[in-house]
Amino acid sequence: MMTVDLRSDVVTLPTEEMRRAMYEAELGDDVSGEDPTVNRLEEMAAERLGKEAAVLVASGTQGNLLAILAHCRSGDEIIAGANSHIFWNESAGAAALGGIQTHLVPNQKQGAMLPEDVEAAIRPGGDTHYPPTTLLCLENTQNQCNGGVVTTEEIEGVCRVAHDRDIPVHVDGARIFNAAVYLETPVHELVREVDDITFCLSKGLSAPIGSVLCGSHEFIAKARRWRKMVGGGMRQAGIIAAPGIVALESMVERLAVDHSNARLLSQGLAQISGIVHNPETAQTNIVFFELEGGFGTEAEFVRRLGEKGISVNSSYGRIRMVTHRHITPAHVDVALTAVSQLMGEMGR
Ligand code: TLP
């Protein structure tokens, strides 16, 4: 039986070239800034994203947390999307470790926030009832919004609103390269107006570990201190940085293949009776759908599809499939056949 793992792009394994790069990496103590491979990755990342500096972090979650801690103080408020990973999936780190409250603003279908919604969420100054708004957090691509792409114009529209009030803008760009590839825009242009951004090496880019936070020299210096404080100062971290360099050099353009496989998946799903899915929403490598009433629960669907060798995730009533480097059109066919069979069985 062919098994197909569509749970997430985080399941991607490092390539042979990455494993070789790990073995051969020149190493040093990164906490003292002496790991040449980490330094090279950080320089490459800052340059690629068009920011002054960068810091290698353990995960996307840690990158977002450090950005929030570097910008805000206890008692402050950040604005984040109602469907954001920061709000839903990061264990309330901002609240628990920073004493920071999150004010939610609606995300549009494909993730963008409306400037007027951001404007309305910013707290008026000078009133002791209100916490100061000290950061706007965007996400691109927006995982829970069908892996949707937020365009340069949409980003810049909300940046203007925030910057007019001296509020910095952070992007959770776990999959920012998917957005840039989709838009056929250089990534530094897409994030030109934002202050800082985290991107993940360990998702579609296939590196085993790590994310990079990029921003101004001053901001990155603060983030480094927070990284040390939360125990993220790693020693010979060039072992992690080396495959990250390979990821940046050779894995970005191929994300288009994941997008094309996701489109195949999406078009196939839309034709299966009992599946509720609009194929126009599948822009990058993430496909969400629901089950029509009468076809059983999502949990049952996930379990029974797993028995047919197809692994997927579900949350809050929706099922998610994610394409990545280990998924080919043949895997998509196998997955669609299995879903079709299962819907026949569940509909009875
Ligand atoms: N997302 C994971 C799960 O946590 C849901 C996934 O399988 O998609 N921002 C975004 C938009 C993400 O999707 C993720 C991971 C993160 C941040 C966190 O990255 P890590 O897992 O490196 O902490």
Side-chain angles (χ1 to χ4, degrees), residues 7-10 58-62 64 85-86 89-90 139 141-143 172 174-175 200 202-203 210-211 286 313 320 322:
R7 286 171 302 167
S8 179
D9 46 9
V10 304
S59 63
T61 302
Q62 191 176 68
N64 289 333
H85 194 275
I86 286 179
N89 302 96
E90 299 189 7
E139 185 177 316
T141 62
Q142 182 94 26
N143 185 344
D172 172 357
R175 298 185 181 83
C200 292
S202 61
K203 300 206 162 52
S211 293
I286 297 181
N313 273 333
R320 187 183 78 159
V322 184

Side-chain angles (χ1 to χ4, degrees), residues 77-130:
E77 186 169 83
I78 62 171
I79 297 175
N83 298 111
S84 62
H85 194 275
I86 286 179
F87 177 69
W88 283 96
N89 302 96
E90 299 189 7
S91 291
L97 304 176
I100 295 149
Q101 173 164 283
T102 302
H103 192 136
L104 297 181
V105 156
N107 289 111
Q108 303 304 297
K109 202 174 185 146
Q110 296 300 102
M113 286 180 196
L114 299 179
E116 55 269 34
D117 289 338
V118 172
E119 177 102 54
I122 297 174
R123 303 288 193 149
D127 184 326
T128 55
H129 292 87
Y130 298 135

Side-chain angles (χ1 to χ4, degrees), residues 24-106:
E24 289 168 359
E26 234 187 298
L27 304 174
D29 176 11
D30 179 49
V31 172
S32 310
E34 290 169 9
D35 189 302
T37 310
V38 171
N39 293 344
R40 200 168 135 234
L41 171 66
E42 291 177 348
E43 277 161 33
M44 269 179 77
E47 195 192 331
R48 190 73 84 87
L49 276 293
K51 303 297 172 205
E52 287 173 6
V55 58
L56 173 66
V57 295
S59 63
T61 302
Q62 191 176 68
N64 289 333
L65 176 67
L66 301 189
I68 294 168
L69 294 173
H71 282 298
C72 310
R73 295 165 53 162
S74 175
D76 286 358
E77 186 169 83
I78 62 171
I79 297 175
N83 298 111
S84 62
H85 194 275
I86 286 179
F87 177 69
W88 283 96
N89 302 96
E90 299 189 7
S91 291
L97 304 176
I100 295 149
Q101 173 164 283
T102 302
H103 192 136
L104 297 181
V105 156

Side-chain angles (χ1 to χ4, degrees), residues 273 293-296 300 304 308 340-348:
S273 157
F295 282 88
E300 187 189 351
R304 290 178 64 174
K308 293 180 186 293
S340 199
Q341 267 175 11
L342 179 59
M343 292 308 283
E345 291 160 19
M346 285 177 72
R348 268 182 227 134

